[in-house]
Amino acid sequence: MSFTLYHGSEFKLEIGTILRASVNYPTYVNNVWNDILFHFRPQNCDLREESVFLVDDIDSVDLAGGSIDYIYACEPLANFSRHDVNWISEIEGLFASSLEDMDDWQNSPRIARIAKNYWNGKPHYNESIMEILTKKAKILELVEVNCLVPVGGE
């Protein structure tokens, strides 16, 4: 691999640990953007809830929604895809500002376009924060520790 990918975790993990999708993946029960992404997901793209989340810029770990307690350099062990999380922010913004009807998003060409931009890996026009989805990844190195009290009492 010629580039470094990063994964943020709340937990201190051993070098060589194989990361797989979390059994504790948030369900976003009342989060319409997750339903939108699922609805418009191409068949060749992995489900978000079955993916390990990585970023290619260490400063994007937090911005992409990852924990910054422990940040690891990782290598994907499966195919991976890149998606700009700012398209998710745009969907949230449309609903928060009532520019789109939350009950009729399936029929909105604007919502469909935004979701397709996410799945196609198109960089957002404002700022790009890419998350990388893969089925599994291997921890190569602990690069940064930012927690005051390490988990596990170390």
Side-chain angles (χ1 to χ4, degrees):
M1 185 172 75
S2 60
F3 56 93
T4 303
L5 299 178
Y6 302 96
H7 176 78
S9 178
E10 298 174 0
F11 306 103
K12 184 164 187 198
L13 302 168
E14 297 295 321
I15 303 307
T17 296
I18 305 299
L19 301 171
R20 297 180 191 277
S22 173
V23 294
N24 298 319
Y25 181 82
T27 56
Y28 301 111
V29 173
N30 295 317
N31 202 324
V32 75
W33 65 257
N34 202 50
D35 294 339
I36 290 167
L37 292 180
F38 181 81
H39 179 78
F40 290 105
R41 179 184 64 87
Q43 290 297 319
N44 64 332
C45 290
D46 291 334
L47 291 167
R48 290 173 50 82
E49 54 271 9
E50 293 177 0
S51 297
V52 173
F53 292 78
L54 307 168
V55 294
D56 55 9
D57 176 0
I58 196 167
D59 294 327
S60 294
V61 171
D62 185 39
L63 297 172
S67 171
I68 60 166
D69 291 348
Y70 296 94
I71 299 177
Y72 300 94
C74 296
E75 173 184 20
L77 298 178
N79 290 335
F80 61 91
S81 57
R82 296 173 186 272
H83 310 280
D84 194 331
V85 297
N86 277 330
W87 293 115
I88 296 171
S89 298
E90 187 161 327
I91 291 169
E92 290 174 326
L94 288 174
F95 291 132
S97 62
S98 300
L99 292 175
E100 287 289 336
D101 181 356
M102 288 184 72
D103 296 325
D104 194 34
W105 57 261
Q106 297 92 340
N107 297 313
S108 168
R110 182 188 224 175
I111 294 295
R113 178 185 50 79
I114 293 168
K116 288 175 183 175
N117 286 344
Y118 171 85
W119 286 115
N120 290 331
K122 182 177 181 178
H124 194 270
Y125 57 85
N126 211 4
E127 177 186 16
S128 185
I129 301 170
M130 291 293 189
E131 66 181 2
I132 296 157
L133 307 180
T134 187
K135 292 280 190 189
K136 59 184 177 175
K138 181 179 181 180
I139 292 178
L140 303 175
E141 174 186 3
L142 174 61
V143 238
E144 201 171 290
V145 176
N146 296 301
C147 57
L148 298 175
V149 180
V151 176
E154 292 182 6

